[in-house]
Amino acid sequence: MASSSKMEDEGEDETLEEELEGFDDFTLASSWERFISEIEVVCRLWLADGPKNLLDKGAVHSCSLMNLYKVKFELKYGTKSYCIEYYFEINNDGKVADWNGNLHDLQLSFAVKEFLVIAPLSASRVVLDAPEASKLLSAVAIALSNCGSMWPAFVPVHDPSRKAYIGIQNMGTVFTRRFEADLIGSQVPVRLMHLEGLYELFVSKFAFSSMDLSTHPFKVHFTMKLTYRTLPHDDDDDDNDIQGGDPETTESGGNPESESRNRTQWDDDCPWTEWYSAEDPVTGFELISIWSNKMVESSLEMAELENASSHEAEKWLLLPILSPNLDNDYKGSTIGFASQLCLLVNALDMSFEAQFMEDFVSVENSGSDNLKSSTVIPPATVLDRVIKDLFYEEVQVSDYAHGEHKNSRAIKGAPLESVFAQFCLHSLWFGNCNIRAIAVLWIEFVREVRWCWEESQPLPRMLTNGVIDLSTCLIHQKLQMLAICIDKKGQLNHDYQDSVESKYHASALIEAEDSQVEEVPTQMRVSTGEFDVKRDRPLTRTGIEPENVVLSVGLKSSDSIRRGSAGVVGSMMLLNSHQKVHAPFTQDAPLMTEDMHEERLRAVEALGNSFSLSAQLERDTLSSDMSAFKAANPDAVFEDFIRWHSPGDWENDATEGSGRSRSHATEGLRDDWPPRGRLSQRMSENGNSWWRIWNNAPALPASEQKPLLDPNREGEKILHYLETVRPNQLLEQMVCTAFGASADSLNQTSFGGLQQMMTEIEQLYLTMASALKPLQSNPLPDKGEIVDDIRRLCVVFANVEKLLILAASIHRKLSQAPRLSEAIFGDCNFYLLRMGTGMGSNGQMSRTLEFDLKQQVRMYERQVVTNLFVPPTANQSWRKVLSMGNLLNGHEPILREIIFSVRDSMNGSHYRDHSPRSPSQEIETHRMYICGTSNDLRVALSVTSCD
């Protein structure tokens, strides 16, 4: 029973085995096979998507290369994790440029466009075990073969510093390329530092070992790139002693390291050097000379090529080496207008905490912790030096427009050459521009201004042309008016002294000659039957000046007492007498600053009579003119004054025009008289203010009238304003003036007329005018928001300042090659304009791409570029460490890059495809990229084989 049941069980097992005989059990696949399958799945997805779809799915830039993107995928094999990366380009033409600066290291080494890299997820990102590297490369190769892809694949091996790779590329059913790159360390054989030895190294990769390489010809394609670099500027002055900074400047709170100066500075004659010394933004140049594809057949040709001049190269490319200060993440202390303007904005923010500037001088009287932390006040020697520069240096100012930009007046500040603009520029560096230092300097500044007023000394750096420029800030207007008051005050004192001296001498002379000359009164009337003459001039020794007394028989009395006449007004005649109209000497209109205009306007508006607005504003001037007109025209009536002063308010009759067309012979006859016309409706209305002023105006020439401008009263009012100005109002005007004066200083820089730079400066002025305009409002609408906007303006100013200094540096070095300097600056401009476009959370500028643009040097510009490479001196001979030949003005290349390649025809060789339809073409069988210096030699070899 048991045996029968056993037999049945065995029969069922045989039947089950027969049923499962055709089933493939994939669960038994190895981890190696599953790893290959995962790679294949990822590669198929990338192949199906294509470059454009991969971009949409999140492909990222590879480092700083503009046209190279990458995607990656993480996978596991056993206990280790790996990352496979696919690098690809957008809109490429399928060709590989040998010396394209935007190539990835693997692209340059092996002449590939798109490729895969598989590396472990470890700190080193390299495979240190050779069997593991081979297994990884094999897995990728099998996966790519299953996908039908011809992407090359690479695995990083050895130490990361060696940049070593092994790689493979399936090129179809016939050819396979294998790649290998490695680095020879510090002990590079001397022979491999010369072209002849490198050529023999390459030939040895495919020639028989017993072959004499020096005599056997091989047709090798050769391309070379040599990089030269100018010596740093500080190396040119190795023997020069570095002097320390100015002790006074150091005491004022500046940075002694940044202000230390060599004996000569590159910017000694630049406009900003009066305030600071800028680091040269172009520390040197790199020159790349390229020999294009040449055919070399022996090592002797390589030796001759090594001794050839770099001027024989087919192409020169020039790259400026920029200072690290141009990097946004540079942590050094950069001192310039922009950095100091930021400090001035901080002072503006703190100026609202006190009512008078004196309150900031004593920290104990202020409860602000921020103020107590900014207590640096320069010593008295520094203060004296600044005041001496402002008030005691002889500076001739003839025209404020000199050196100004056409958009400068859009900023309501003070002209660059004026005393207040110079005060603001000094404030930027005085005590590192903290509010206490500014208060100390301002108090001393006002004290010197008062001294000039009390001693009637001309106010320095100020024009006294009798015009107040209302487009400037109020403080400049006040100082302008004060300078005019000092001038008028001096004239009055001088006239008074002359008068006293004249009376003294006249009295002495009369007493001395009392026996000969009869005493005569200072005023006398000369009487005749028809007129009286009133004398108003000093008398001579004989008593009367004959030329001042008119005794002609045919004249009326009105002609004899005419005073203050400047001459007749054409053929215009008085209405009530047959006399010509005389134009009087008049006083200048009273000078008014902007706040005085506003004060008068408010007073007139308070009267509520808008019709008499103009009369109220000009009442004193109008009364003076009417008095002078009456003195010059004794028989004049109100209508005569209107015809002369305001012709638009006199309406002529039509008949008067016909009378004026008569000949000169009949001009002035009685039948032409009087002129026919009438006052305008405005002037003929009852209660017109001009009538009242005319009736009350005495007949006095301008010389006898009360001055419209009282210099003593106005001068004291101006000084009171300067001494009591509120701190925020002072700082607001200082900020506007400092921005404008700083920009005007930079605008005087010679940069070769670069159009891009001129556009940047013009745009800066417009940006400043827009950002600083709210400071003209009183009170400020939103202090916090305005201060933040001005801080952002400082960032814009810093960018333009860097650009301008860069333009000046490039222009100085390449002034003989203007096309090249403009092209280089255009690329630098492209780089720098990215600075500040993105602001981080801390308000700092975001980091930008590295500058790596090269400009091609034309043949006629090569000598100018050669002159940049000053021959090394004997003290610099230790820097010659390469000994590679190809000298340029005594300079050896700092880097030599060479590409050797050998090509072979597919027909008639072991590379031939046995297919009868295979076309005849050449393939690159061996390619070697060599990058060498004295410390290392990197070699990348690719070999194509027929597997």
Side-chain angles (χ1 to χ4, degrees):
M1 188 71 174
S3 61
S4 61
S5 62
K6 183 179 181 179
M7 291 177 61
E8 289 177 2
D9 291 339
E10 290 177 355
E12 290 177 1
D13 291 339
E14 290 177 359
T15 304
L16 182 61
E17 289 178 3
E18 290 177 359
E19 291 177 357
L20 297 177
E21 186 175 355
F23 177 73
D24 295 329
D25 190 358
F26 286 98
T27 59
L28 300 178
S30 64
S31 59
W32 163 255
E33 292 172 326
R34 288 194 297 269
F35 183 58
I36 294 175
S37 178
E38 289 181 20
I39 297 176
E40 181 180 343
V41 170
V42 174
C43 292
R44 287 186 183 275
L45 289 175
W46 289 341
L47 282 169
D49 286 336
K52 292 184 178 180
N53 290 334
L54 289 177
L55 276 180
D56 297 337
K57 292 184 177 181
V60 297
H61 271 110
S62 174
C63 300
S64 61
L65 304 179
M66 295 295 295
N67 198 35
L68 189 66
Y69 298 83
K70 69 177 181 180
V71 290
K72 62 182 180 180
F73 185 81
E74 297 180 4
L75 40 82
K76 295 191 66 174
Y77 173 54
T79 59
K80 293 187 177 181
S81 298
Y82 297 92
C83 179
I84 183 169
E85 297 176 327
Y86 169 46
Y87 292 80
F88 61 94
E89 293 186 354
I90 303 296
N91 300 327
N92 65 75
D93 54 5
K95 299 180 181 179
V96 179
D98 289 332
W99 307 122
N100 189 339
N102 288 328
L103 291 179
H104 189 274
D105 182 59
L106 291 176
Q107 291 177 311
L108 183 61
S109 299
F110 301 113
V112 296
K113 294 292 287 186
E114 50 187 1
F115 54 91
L116 294 176
V117 175
I118 184 168
L121 288 174
S122 60
S124 64
R125 301 283 293 181
V126 297
V127 180
L128 301 178
D129 183 49
E132 180 186 359
S134 299
K135 195 171 186 180
L136 278 176
L137 195 61
S138 299
V140 177
I142 294 173
L144 292 175
S145 177
N146 294 339
C147 296
S149 171
M150 299 177 65
W151 292 340
F154 299 94
V155 175
V157 294
H158 306 310
D159 187 80
S161 61
R162 293 168 62 174
K163 295 183 180 180
Y165 290 89
I166 59 173
I168 192 171
Q169 180 182 12
N170 179 18
M171 303 183 66
T173 58
V174 179
F175 301 107
T176 301
R177 292 180 71 189
R178 290 179 172 83
F179 309 98
E180 185 176 357
D182 206 348
L183 180 72
I184 301 176
S186 58
Q187 295 182 354
V188 179
V190 176
R191 186 171 182 79
L192 295 183
M193 296 305 298
H194 295 275
L195 296 182
E196 183 178 1
L198 296 174
Y199 169 81
E200 294 177 355
L201 172 66
F202 173 68
V203 174
S204 66
K205 297 300 180 179
F206 56 85
F208 295 108
S209 59
S210 60
M211 184 178 298
D212 186 359
L213 302 180
S214 62
T215 58
H216 192 87
F218 292 98
K219 292 185 178 181
V220 176
H221 293 270
F222 167 82
T223 302
M224 181 170 64
K225 171 184 175 183
L226 300 178
T227 302
Y228 301 88
R229 181 175 295 172
T230 59
L231 295 175
H233 295 308
D234 54 353
D235 292 341
D236 297 337
D237 301 323
D238 284 339
D239 298 331
N240 292 343
D241 295 330
I242 298 178
Q243 300 177 351
D246 182 39
E248 293 181 350
T249 305
T250 305
E251 290 174 355
S252 66
N255 188 342
E257 296 182 0
S258 61
E259 294 177 357
S260 65
R261 301 176 61 91
N262 294 335
R263 291 179 179 177
T264 58
Q265 296 289 326
W266 76 276
D267 62 343
D268 277 344
D269 57 344
C270 290
W272 61 78
T273 191
E274 181 181 356
W275 308 104
Y276 67 95
S277 181
E279 178 186 354
D280 194 343
V282 180
T283 60
F285 287 90
E286 275 191 5
L287 174 65
I288 298 172
S289 59
I290 297 177
W291 275 261
S292 299
N293 196 12
K294 291 180 175 292
M295 187 68 71
V296 182
E297 296 187 359
S298 68
S299 57
L300 296 179
E301 292 185 33
M302 301 301 299
E304 294 178 0
L305 187 60
E306 184 167 291
N307 295 323
S309 170
S310 294
H311 284 268
E312 299 179 10
E314 283 80 1
K315 184 183 294 186
W316 276 20
L317 300 174
L318 192 65
L319 171 70
I321 304 173
L322 303 182
S323 166
N325 275 348
L326 296 178
D327 191 348
N328 299 327
D329 291 345
Y330 181 74
K331 301 302 182 184
S333 67
T334 304
I335 294 184
F337 285 122
S339 63
Q340 303 308 112
L341 287 171
C342 290
L343 299 176
L344 184 61
V345 175
N346 295 336
L348 169 65
D349 195 19
M350 298 179 62
S351 65
F352 295 87
E353 300 179 6
Q355 187 174 1
F356 300 103
M357 292 302 294
E358 289 80 358
D359 296 339
F360 290 108
V361 177
S362 177
V363 180
E364 290 77 10
N365 296 335
S366 175
S368 172
D369 294 335
N370 294 331
L371 181 59
K372 293 179 180 179
S373 63
S374 304
T375 59
V376 178
I377 297 180
T381 55
V382 180
L383 181 61
D384 293 341
R385 176 172 55 83
V386 173
I387 295 300
K388 180 181 178 182
D389 182 76
L390 288 173
F391 288 92
Y392 299 102
E393 294 292 336
E394 294 185 2
V395 179
Q396 298 295 331
V397 179
S398 59
D399 185 10
Y400 285 146
H402 176 70
E404 283 187 351
H405 191 270
K406 62 180 181 179
N407 294 331
S408 180
R409 292 303 177 95
I411 304 169
K412 198 172 180 64
L416 173 63
E417 299 298 330
S418 66
V419 67
F420 183 63
Q422 295 297 308
F423 166 83
C424 293
L425 290 177
H426 275 291
S427 299
L428 295 178
W429 277 270
F430 187 76
N432 211 22
C433 201
N434 69 80
I435 188 65
R436 288 195 66 213
I438 293 174
V440 170
L441 184 59
W442 173 253
I443 293 171
E444 190 64 26
F445 175 82
V446 175
R447 189 173 297 160
E448 288 294 326
V449 171
R450 175 169 283 281
W451 180 88
C452 292
W453 164 253
E454 293 176 349
E455 299 297 326
S456 297
Q457 295 297 317
L459 201 59
R461 301 177 185 269
M462 299 302 297
L463 299 179
T464 56
N465 53 8
V467 178
I468 303 297
D469 189 354
L470 299 181
S471 67
T472 59
C473 66
L474 184 58
I475 291 180
H476 176 74
Q477 296 178 38
K478 295 287 186 183
L479 292 174
Q480 222 177 351
M481 190 166 183
L482 183 63
I484 296 173
C485 290
I486 292 175
D487 185 59
K488 289 186 178 296
K489 179 182 175 183
Q491 292 179 6
L492 292 176
N493 293 338
H494 184 267
D495 292 344
Y496 175 75
Q497 291 177 0
D498 288 347
S499 177
V500 172
E501 290 177 0
S502 177
K503 290 182 179 180
Y504 173 79
H505 290 300
S507 175
L509 186 62
I510 290 173
E511 291 178 359
E513 300 180 0
D514 188 39
S515 61
Q516 300 178 5
V517 180
E518 192 175 314
E519 185 176 351
V520 180
T522 58
Q523 289 191 353
M524 65 174 293
R525 291 183 180 271
V526 181
S527 301
T528 65
E530 295 184 354
F531 57 86
D532 291 339
V533 176
K534 184 178 180 181
R535 297 294 303 159
D536 62 352
R537 296 185 62 178
L539 302 179
T540 62
R541 290 180 57 203
T542 58
I544 301 176
E545 290 181 322
E547 67 272 18
N548 292 311
V549 179
V550 181
L551 299 176
S552 299
V553 177
L555 297 180
K556 292 186 176 182
S557 62
S558 60
D559 295 310
S560 60
I561 60 173
R562 189 187 309 275
R563 295 180 297 167
S565 172
V568 299
V569 183
S571 60
M572 183 180 294
M573 311 290 287
L574 295 175
L575 294 176
N576 292 347
S577 65
H578 194 65
Q579 300 295 328
K580 290 186 177 181
V581 175
H582 284 245
F585 288 108
T586 60
Q587 296 192 61
D588 294 332
L591 299 175
M592 289 189 292
T593 57
E594 185 178 14
D595 61 332
M596 295 171 64
H597 280 285
E598 294 176 354
E599 181 180 354
R600 288 202 173 193
L601 183 61
R602 288 193 296 268
V604 171
E605 290 177 349
L607 296 177
N609 187 1
S610 60
F611 177 78
S612 59
L613 172 62
S614 61
Q616 291 292 337
L617 289 176
E618 305 297 337
R619 178 183 182 88
D620 295 339
T621 305
L622 190 59
S623 178
S624 173
D625 291 346
M626 288 179 176
S627 295
F629 187 83
K630 283 183 177 183
N633 302 277
D635 294 332
V637 293
F638 178 69
E639 288 81 355
D640 294 320
F641 177 77
I642 294 299
R643 292 167 61 223
W644 168 74
H645 188 277
S646 180
D649 286 310
W650 177 259
E651 299 175 357
N652 292 315
D653 289 345
T655 57
E656 186 178 358
S658 61
R660 291 186 177 180
S661 63
R662 299 187 180 186
S663 65
H664 294 284
T666 62
E667 194 175 65
L669 298 180
R670 294 283 183 181
D671 54 1
D672 295 334
W673 195 251
R676 297 173 178 84
R678 66 187 61 83
L679 291 174
S680 65
Q681 181 180 358
R682 182 172 75 97
M683 288 297 172
S684 60
E685 290 180 349
N686 293 329
N688 185 277
S689 60
W690 286 46
W691 278 99
R692 293 195 302 269
I693 298 174
W694 171 265
N695 294 330
N696 296 328
L700 290 175
S703 60
E704 299 180 14
Q705 296 177 14
K706 179 183 177 182
L708 293 176
L709 174 67
D710 185 350
N712 292 289
R713 182 185 63 183
E714 295 298 334
E716 289 296 337
K717 288 172 62 178
I718 292 171
L719 287 169
H720 177 74
Y721 168 81
L722 297 178
E723 292 170 345
T724 60
V725 62
R726 294 184 65 86
N728 64 297
Q729 295 177 353
L730 171 63
L731 267 296
E732 289 163 12
Q733 297 179 66
M734 286 183 62
V735 167
C736 293
T737 300
F739 269 98
S742 300
D744 285 340
S745 298
L746 294 175
N747 184 50
Q748 297 176 1
T749 305
S750 174
F751 49 80
L754 297 173
Q755 184 60 42
Q756 290 174 308
M757 192 67 248
M758 294 171 64
T759 303
E760 289 298 322
I761 293 176
E762 184 172 353
Q763 184 61 42
L764 173 64
Y765 277 99
L766 298 178
T767 304
M768 289 193 300
S770 175
L772 298 175
K773 188 175 182 179
L775 291 180
Q776 303 173 19
S777 304
N778 192 15
L780 296 183
D782 189 345
K783 178 180 75 73
E785 184 177 351
I786 292 175
V787 170
D788 291 342
D789 289 342
I790 300 176
R791 287 197 175 103
R792 283 188 285 268
L793 177 63
C794 293
V795 176
V796 177
F797 194 100
N799 294 338
V800 178
E801 185 175 13
K802 288 181 181 180
L803 274 177
L804 190 137
I805 296 177
L806 177 62
S809 177
I810 294 175
H811 171 66
R812 284 167 176 257
K813 296 174 176 60
L814 297 172
S815 59
Q816 302 300 317
R819 185 210 64 85
L820 186 59
S821 64
E822 184 173 0
I824 291 177
F825 177 74
D827 289 336
C828 294
N829 192 9
F830 171 78
Y831 158 72
L832 285 175
L833 283 181
R834 299 167 180 268
M835 302 175 65
T837 55
M839 302 292 293
S841 58
N842 58 352
Q844 300 296 323
M845 295 176 288
S846 60
R847 187 175 178 85
T848 60
L849 298 178
E850 181 181 358
F851 174 73
D852 191 25
L853 299 175
K854 306 175 183 66
Q855 287 299 323
Q856 184 168 350
V857 182
R858 297 179 181 176
M859 292 299 297
Y860 65 87
E861 298 168 334
R862 289 193 176 187
Q863 187 57 46
V864 177
V865 175
T866 302
N867 295 336
L868 296 175
F869 293 83
V870 181
T873 63
N875 293 335
Q876 298 164 341
S877 60
W878 62 273
R879 298 183 182 276
K880 300 179 181 180
V881 294
L882 295 183
S883 303
M884 294 193 300
N886 297 117
L887 298 182
L888 175 65
N889 238 18
H891 292 254
E892 294 180 345
I894 62 169
L895 181 65
R896 171 183 280 162
E897 298 175 79
I898 302 170
I899 295 177
F900 293 108
S901 64
V902 174
R903 300 168 187 172
D904 200 350
S905 175
M906 294 178 60
N907 290 335
S909 69
H910 63 281
Y911 293 100
R912 175 174 61 88
D913 186 354
H914 296 284
S915 173
R917 297 182 179 181
S918 176
S920 177
Q921 61 179 358
E922 282 189 341
I923 63 170
E924 190 178 66
T925 60
H926 293 77
R927 183 184 187 275
M928 179 180 286
Y929 168 77
I930 301 171
C931 176
T933 67
S934 61
N935 296 323
D936 54 60
L937 185 71
R938 187 165 184 271
V939 179
L941 177 66
S942 62
V943 179
T944 303
S945 61
C946 183
D947 292 343

